[in-house]
Amino acid sequence: MQNYESIRQVINDVTLMDNRFLNKALDGNISATQRMLRIMLNNDKIKVRKVGVQQWLQNIYGHSAQLDILAEDENGTQFNVEIQRNDEGASAKRARFYCGALDMHFLDTGEKYEALPEAYVIFITEHDVLKKGWPLYNVQRCLIGTGEVFEDGSHVVYVNAACQEDTPLGRLMQDLNCKDPNKMHYKELADTVNYFKTTKEGEANMASVIEMYAKNQAEMVAAKVAAKVAEETTYQRNIEVAKEMLADNMSIEVVTRISKLSEDEVRALAAKQSA
């Protein structure tokens, strides 16, 4: 019973900003994926015809790419959506690599370069990675000097999930960070989250999400323990340094500055050594 309650707590707490959960929610889910893309790209004409998750783009000569979500619309445009909670995971070089990986994957041998489809790499980031306070960043190549767009069909978009204003995009970011489907704005997402959180069938499909969540929690606890041990070790070392300096009759002021202890702590040590 205790184990089941722990599992239920994980399911209750997880949000769509967890990439494993978003993968579950959008796998084959055309309506929810279409709603997200339309809002993020401000284009109500996007008509998604297929969507898959965790797709490997193999490169036998070098680094491969595993895409969180890959969707395609009726015009053949490719949309790669990535959830990034770590700022380093949404670097400019990673965006460049993913654009290249999409191009290599969708141009067959013998095809002309003009056959390359439009391609979007979209990073939904937990923090404002580009640090300008914008809710969304559109990145395209342009001609330096004129600012004219270099129409190569590639697009990089950063969506700032920390910006949750009362706008269509802000409300979508609220939904991605919301635990309770009853408080979500967009029905397509709310219905999906409700299925996984409140039905037996949905709960049964949450094993991988629970496993990853538990792993992440364990790593966080381990990191906190390690940091605490390191802090205590440093503190004990500072105490030993202070004791040695006091034994050499150094002043309270000097010992405080060098040992990184507070003046009260140094005076207490000095009182003990002179007792």
Side-chain angles (χ1 to χ4, degrees), residues 22-273:
L22 187 66
N23 289 343
K24 285 284 184 188
L26 296 190
D27 191 11
N29 190 337
I30 289 176
S31 62
T33 304
Q34 180 171 282
R35 172 61 64 190
M36 286 183 61
L37 291 174
R38 285 182 171 186
I39 294 169
M40 291 188 294
L41 301 179
N42 192 27
N43 182 357
D44 285 338
K45 294 182 179 180
I46 294 173
K47 293 183 179 180
V48 173
R49 70 180 188 89
K50 65 178 180 179
V51 56
V53 303
Q54 294 293 295
Q55 181 167 337
W56 274 99
L57 303 186
Q58 296 287 354
N59 178 6
I60 62 174
Y61 299 110
H63 198 76
S64 298
Q66 186 178 29
L67 310 183
D68 279 351
I69 296 149
L70 182 62
E72 181 179 315
D73 74 3
E74 62 180 5
N75 299 315
T77 302
Q78 303 295 319
F79 305 92
N80 168 218
V81 181
E82 300 286 322
I83 290 285
Q84 291 297 335
R85 309 196 74 165
N86 185 332
D87 290 359
E88 294 178 359
S91 68
K93 291 293 181 68
R94 185 169 186 172
R96 171 184 166 184
F97 178 79
Y98 273 45
C99 286
L102 286 172
D103 289 345
M104 293 289 288
H105 187 74
F106 290 106
L107 187 67
D108 291 333
T109 302
E111 284 192 302
K112 294 182 178 180
Y113 295 115
E114 285 71 23
L116 275 172
E118 291 273 321
Y120 289 79
V121 173
I122 303 169
F123 289 122
I124 303 175
T125 62
E126 185 170 22
H127 308 110
D128 184 9
V129 172
L130 299 185
K131 312 294 184 186
K132 295 187 181 298
W134 299 353
L136 184 141
Y137 303 84
N138 279 304
V139 183
Q140 282 186 272
R141 292 186 177 96
C142 69
L143 300 180
I144 295 175
T146 67
E148 294 175 82
V149 174
F150 184 65
E151 298 286 0
D152 65 349
S154 66
H155 312 263
V156 175
V157 178
Y158 286 81
V159 185
N160 176 11
C163 190
Q164 300 176 27
E165 300 171 346
D166 189 19
T167 64
L169 182 62
R171 290 190 288 273
L172 176 62
M173 294 305 104
Q174 291 174 38
D175 282 1
L176 295 187
N177 285 279
C178 185
K179 299 177 183 180
D180 185 354
N182 294 314
K183 296 180 180 179
M184 297 174 75
H185 300 87
Y186 295 104
K187 185 177 186 302
E188 297 91 339
L189 294 176
D191 287 348
T192 300
V193 172
N194 185 67
Y195 167 76
F196 283 107
K197 290 202 174 196
T198 66
T199 70
K200 290 184 179 179
E201 296 83 358
E203 183 181 299
N205 281 306
M206 291 285 279
S208 63
V209 175
I210 293 166
E211 180 182 344
M212 182 55 64
Y213 187 91
K215 182 181 178 218
N216 291 342
Q217 289 298 106
E219 289 175 351
M220 287 175 57
V221 170
K224 287 180 181 179
V225 170
K228 183 65 175 177
V229 169
E231 182 181 337
E232 291 178 353
T233 300
T234 300
Y235 181 68
Q236 290 301 321
R237 185 169 63 247
N238 290 343
I239 288 176
E240 295 305 316
V241 168
K243 286 180 178 179
E244 291 178 9
M245 295 176 72
L246 290 169
D248 290 337
N249 295 317
M250 292 189 180
S251 69
I252 295 294
E253 291 75 14
V254 171
V255 175
T256 299
R257 186 174 70 253
I258 300 299
S259 70
K260 310 297 183 186
L261 298 177
S262 69
E263 183 176 330
D264 288 343
E265 289 172 319
V266 172
R267 290 189 180 280
L269 288 173
K272 287 182 180 178
Q273 289 191 198

